[in-house]
Amino acid sequence: MIPFSPAAFIRKRVISLVTTAAVSATSLALAQDPSRAFHVRGAMPIQTVADRPDRSQEQPFLSENDAAMNNMMANMTIKPTGDVDRDFVAMMVPHHQGAVDMAKAKLKYGHNEQLRRLAQEIVAHQQREIAVMRNAVSDGRSFAMQSPEQRVAPTAGSVADGGMKMSQ
């Protein structure tokens, strides 16, 4: 069994919370005015940056990353069911899967070893959280009622074997 490290646990939770807050803020901003998507400090759409000749080697990565982002954003839009727990999971699973897909693209095309290790951690961590969320709504128990071992243990409905589809 892997020893528990409070510092690593806190670091991972902070990263998860910051990522969730950033995506939520972006989603809220885009919902209010989608035309302002690229008006942040002169940022340009990824396609424009990728079309530059000096960046052509990045095109496959940028294409995969863009597809992951588009898929994530589209799949996070759900029809509310009235069940807060299921709605939360239905929105968060695509968010986490987007992180997995982006990290896999980084692993496929990136070279920085420190970032590769981080991307590997993102894949493993986010897949575990997807399994935990799906398990929490599939068996009727809340996340808070599960022991820490149950929260991180992959289940039969994990991403690795195709996972469970959320009903909307």
Side-chain angles (χ1 to χ4, degrees), residues 107-125:
L107 288 169
K108 188 173 179 181
Y109 300 104
H111 304 291
N112 181 299
E113 283 306 313
Q114 184 178 5
L115 293 176
R116 289 181 60 77
R117 284 190 300 274
L118 177 63
Q120 289 169 338
E121 288 179 22
I122 289 169
V123 169
H125 183 73

Side-chain angles (χ1 to χ4, degrees), residues 41-63:
R41 296 185 188 206
M44 297 167 47
I46 275 184
Q47 293 80 8
T48 303
V49 174
D51 290 338
R52 293 181 182 171
D54 60 327
R55 301 268 185 164
S56 62
Q57 72 276 7
E58 285 186 300
Q59 188 58 47
F61 165 74
L62 295 173
S63 294

Side-chain angles (χ1 to χ4, degrees), residues 5-167:
S5 167
F9 177 80
I10 292 170
R11 179 175 46 92
K12 288 178 182 178
R13 290 294 165 230
V14 168
I15 289 170
S16 181
L17 289 172
V18 169
T19 303
T20 301
V23 169
S24 297
T26 302
S27 298
L28 179 62
L30 290 174
Q32 291 177 350
D33 187 4
S35 67
R36 295 186 53 157
F38 301 113
H39 294 167
V40 179
R41 296 185 188 206
M44 297 167 47
I46 275 184
Q47 293 80 8
T48 303
V49 174
D51 290 338
R52 293 181 182 171
D54 60 327
R55 301 268 185 164
S56 62
Q57 72 276 7
E58 285 186 300
Q59 188 58 47
F61 165 74
L62 295 173
S63 294
E64 285 185 33
N65 196 60
D66 191 42
M69 284 290 292
N70 290 336
N71 191 40
M72 176 186 73
M73 295 306 287
N75 290 332
M76 285 174 55
T77 304
I78 65 157
K79 179 180 177 186
T81 66
D83 182 335
V84 173
D85 296 327
R86 287 192 179 278
D87 292 348
F88 172 78
V89 170
M91 289 182 283
M92 287 303 291
V93 166
H95 170 65
H96 281 48
Q97 186 61 50
V100 168
D101 295 342
M102 287 181 263
K104 285 182 176 180
K106 187 320 184 219
L107 288 169
K108 188 173 179 181
Y109 300 104
H111 304 291
N112 181 299
E113 283 306 313
Q114 184 178 5
L115 293 176
R116 289 181 60 77
R117 284 190 300 274
L118 177 63
Q120 289 169 338
E121 288 179 22
I122 289 169
V123 169
H125 183 73
Q126 297 299 305
Q127 286 179 334
R128 281 193 304 269
E129 287 196 359
I130 289 170
V132 167
M133 287 186 283
R134 286 181 170 159
N135 185 48
V137 295
S138 69
D139 66 3
R141 295 183 302 156
S142 73
F143 180 78
M145 293 172 57
Q146 296 177 343
S147 70
E149 294 79 24
Q150 291 171 314
R151 291 181 191 164
V152 297
T155 64
S158 71
V159 173
D161 63 3
M164 177 185 101
K165 299 287 184 218
M166 294 299 304
S167 60

